[in-house]
């Protein structure tokens, strides 16, 4: 569905992403993990058109999208959220989602000023898309609340709704569970699972390994900008290169501890399966 070949980007002397090849399969959840600074967010910036690669190609549904500007990438059906929640806090949750849908609409300033038929139809379509997007992330009851007055977790959901309102086929989520508590993380995990069950292709960058292990069908591991492993959660969590990347001192202590706990849990689960 979404394929990349020898993808790379260099910032001055820093090769942030290097020689990454692979693909995202439709209808599943792919997680991208790796220590801080591994190049995960940069990889998303490449896929979504925020950065132009200095090497390699990206294709989406067999069409070359390398170097396309962000709004064209979004229009084709690739939406993303950002690591730091980027929503309009002074707007309602609903209006945030409306803005997401507006990237799809064609009417301009004159249509708005003259209240043309197209403008009215598109406004109606945007409102419907926005309500649907909010419902998909469990915020139907908070549509009119100013986004800035919502909890941190609900603000994350608004940013997902904004992305959903663009009508994506692929949703890229950059650390959606950063800064929210364990109970909220479980709830958000359920929401992401439901989105995928509804047919959306999800790519998730996440540090919280409990979430990754619960959600991911496929995991790709980046380290120093390169892909060092990929496979099922069970395969990846046993991969010596992955364990070394995390336990070798590059990762933050809490990440190391979480991964260690999850690796042990995964090993125990596999053990039960064999017993
Ligand atoms: P991760 O998301 O895996 O923690 P990032 O993709 O944010 O890592 O960063 C990977 C590397 O790319 C880091 O060394 C970072 O400093 C560098 N980098 C990312 N964006 C830029 C940029 N716009 N300019 C210069 N360096 C950047
Ligand atoms: Mg990042």
């Amino acid at each position: 569905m979404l394929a990349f070949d020898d993808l790379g980007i260099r910032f001055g002397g820093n090769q942030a992403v290097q020689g990454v090849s692979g693909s995202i399969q439709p209808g599943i959840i792919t997680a991208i993990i790796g220590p801080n600074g591994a190049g995960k967010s940069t990889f998303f910036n490449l896929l979504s058109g925020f950065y132009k690669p200095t090497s390699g190609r990206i294709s989406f549904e067999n069409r070359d999208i390398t170097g396309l500007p962000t709004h064209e990438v979004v229009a084709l059906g690739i939406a993303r959220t950002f690591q730091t929640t980027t929503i309009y806090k002074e707007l309602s949750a609903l209006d945030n989602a409306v803005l997401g849908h507006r990237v799809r609409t064609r009417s301009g300033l004159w249509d708005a000023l003259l209240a043309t038929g197209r403008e009215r139809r598109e406004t109606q379509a945007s409102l419907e898309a926005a309500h649907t997007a909010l419902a998909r992330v469990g915020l139907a009851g908070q549509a009119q609340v100013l986004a800035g007055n919502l909890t941190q977790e609900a603000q994350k959901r608004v940013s997902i709704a904004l992305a959903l309102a663009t009508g994506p086929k692929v949703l890229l989520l950059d650390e959606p569970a950063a800064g929210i508590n364990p109970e909220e993380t479980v709830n958000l995990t359920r929401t992401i699972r439901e989105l995928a069950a509804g047919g959306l292709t999800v790519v998730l960058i996440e540090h919280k390994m409990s979430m990754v292990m619960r959600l991911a069908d496929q995991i790709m591991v980046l380290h120093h900008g390169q892909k060092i492993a990929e496979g099922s959660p069970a395969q990846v969590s046993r991969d010596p290169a992955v364990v070394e990347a995390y336990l070798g001192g590059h990762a933050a202590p809490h990440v190391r501890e979480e991964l260690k706990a999850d690796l042990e849990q995964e090993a125990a689960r596999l053990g039960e399966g064999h017993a």
Side-chain angles (χ1 to χ4, degrees):
M1 182 177 213
L2 182 59
F4 28 93
D5 180 38
D6 192 33
L7 199 58
I9 188 167
R10 169 179 288 276
F11 299 106
N14 178 5
Q15 186 77 43
V17 171
Q18 184 172 14
V20 175
S21 299
S23 61
I24 301 298
Q25 303 305 317
I28 66 167
I29 301 179
T30 303
I32 299 177
I33 64 170
N36 273 330
K40 305 180 297 296
S41 293
T42 303
F43 180 65
F44 267 16
N45 284 329
L46 290 169
L47 293 184
S48 54
F50 280 84
Y51 293 163
K52 288 195 199 314
T54 43
S55 68
R57 320 291 314 163
I58 307 167
S59 68
F60 179 56
E61 296 183 322
N62 297 320
R63 175 183 166 169
D64 190 342
I65 62 163
T66 318
L68 278 191
T70 307
H71 66 272
E72 287 184 37
V73 174
V74 174
L76 288 174
I78 302 175
R80 55 102 42 105
T81 65
F82 290 85
Q83 191 167 344
T84 46
T85 311
T86 48
I87 55 173
Y88 300 89
K89 295 194 182 199
E90 67 285 3
L91 296 181
S92 67
L94 183 68
D95 284 339
N96 271 276
V98 163
L99 285 177
H101 186 263
R102 293 305 285 198
V103 305
R104 291 230 161 244
T105 58
R106 304 183 53 83
S107 53
L109 184 59
W110 284 112
D111 293 292
L113 289 175
L114 302 173
T116 62
R118 174 154 87 180
E119 167 69 19
R120 286 197 302 275
R121 278 192 304 280
E122 289 187 348
T123 299
Q124 191 53 36
S126 292
L127 275 174
E128 281 167 22
H131 277 295
T132 303
L134 286 181
R136 286 171 82 189
V137 300
L139 285 183
Q142 277 136 301
Q144 304 301 341
V145 179
L146 282 192
N149 291 342
L150 291 167
T151 64
Q152 192 62 29
E153 188 222 0
Q155 291 190 25
K156 301 260 175 199
R157 289 173 181 271
V158 170
S159 69
I160 297 172
L162 201 159
L164 287 174
T166 69
K169 296 172 183 166
V170 182
L171 179 64
L172 311 177
L173 299 170
D174 196 348
E175 297 201 32
I180 64 175
N181 71 37
E183 189 188 334
E184 292 168 334
T185 300
V186 169
N187 292 336
L188 192 60
T189 299
R190 191 175 306 128
T191 299
I192 294 170
R193 166 66 61 208
E194 285 164 6
L195 291 175
L200 188 65
T201 301
V202 176
V203 189
L204 169 77
I205 294 174
E206 188 48 65
H207 268 310
K208 291 185 177 166
M209 286 301 159
S210 55
M211 189 181 205
V212 169
M213 292 297 166
R214 283 194 186 96
L215 280 178
D217 300 298
Q218 184 77 6
I219 298 180
M220 172 174 138
V221 188
L222 291 182
H223 188 35
H224 297 314
Q226 292 178 294
K227 183 164 94 176
I228 59 164
E230 72 184 325
S232 68
Q235 283 167 336
V236 162
S237 56
R238 276 179 312 209
D239 189 311
V242 177
V243 177
E244 173 56 28
Y246 274 98
L247 307 183
H250 300 285
H254 74 279
V255 175
R256 282 209 296 275
E257 272 158 37
E258 276 199 44
L259 183 82
K260 197 154 164 277
D262 282 311
L263 293 180
E264 282 162 7
Q265 209 180 324
E266 191 63 33
R269 201 178 61 77
L270 290 171
E272 279 166 30
H274 288 302

